[in-house]
């Protein structure tokens, strides 16, 4: 978005890091909006993706190194997440879905909580447990 708006509005000097004007604000908004739309369309909510789009649209990728390093870091994180969640944890990763076997093994992660208490008792218990001295 930053490069597109820099082509559309050359007088705005968007490649200067300190410039904050309407074309830059529009580029930032569209970058985050399109990222959010993609997360909705593909049903994969991940708020740090919007932050990554924001960083890119702000112009912090000023050389080829961050552009190459970011996808490599994302791939490394995906491999780690797959290994820790699916291989070690037995959780249905990367597509989280309700799995009765996983829900019984991890009731808190599945949102089941303590079956002995009602839902209202669980909520009030959590609220009153958070009070400090």
């Amino acid at each position: 978005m930053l490069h597109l708006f820099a082509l559309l509005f050359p007088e705005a000097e968007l490649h200067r890091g300190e410039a904050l004007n309407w074309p830059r604000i529009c580029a930032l908004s569209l970058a985050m909006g399109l990222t959010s739309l993609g997360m909705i369309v593909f049903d994969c909510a991940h708020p740090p993706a919007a932050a990554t789009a924001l960083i890119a649209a702000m112009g912090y990728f000023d050389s080829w190194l961050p552009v190459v390093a970011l996808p490599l870091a994302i791939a490394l994180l995906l491999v780690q997440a797959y290994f820790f969640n699916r291989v070690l944890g037995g959780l249905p990763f990367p597509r989280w879905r309700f799995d009765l076997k996983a829900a019984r093994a991890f009731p808190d992660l599945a949102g089941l909580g303590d079956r002995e208490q009602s839902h209202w008792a669980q909520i009030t218990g959590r609220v009153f447990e958070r009070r400090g001295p």
Side-chain angles (χ1 to χ4, degrees):
M1 281 296 127
L2 183 67
H3 294 295
L4 177 66
F5 273 77
L7 290 174
L8 294 174
F9 304 102
E11 70 280 353
E13 298 180 1
L14 295 179
H15 292 292
R16 286 186 22 232
E18 66 273 359
L20 184 62
N21 46 30
W22 286 110
R24 180 177 286 271
I25 292 171
C26 290
L28 296 173
S29 301
L30 277 173
M32 291 186 68
L34 290 174
T35 302
S36 300
L37 179 65
M39 287 188 286
I40 291 169
V41 167
F42 294 110
D43 191 26
C44 57
H46 184 65
T52 304
L54 178 66
I55 290 169
M58 290 176 77
Y60 289 125
F61 293 161
D62 55 355
S63 69
W64 63 270
L65 183 61
V67 174
V68 172
L70 183 67
L72 291 176
I74 291 170
L76 179 63
L77 284 173
L78 284 172
V79 168
Q80 289 175 345
Y82 183 86
F83 178 75
F84 284 111
N85 286 298
R86 184 173 284 272
V87 175
L88 294 181
L91 297 172
F93 183 85
R95 293 295 299 168
W96 291 95
R97 60 183 170 12
F98 184 76
D99 182 10
L100 188 59
K101 182 179 169 187
R104 286 184 181 143
F106 305 99
D108 290 333
L109 290 175
L112 298 177
D114 186 11
R115 293 185 184 193
E116 300 294 322
Q117 294 182 341
S118 69
H119 182 67
W120 179 251
Q122 291 177 29
I123 292 173
T124 55
R126 288 180 188 153
V127 168
F128 291 117
E129 286 175 6
R130 291 186 183 166
R131 277 201 242 174

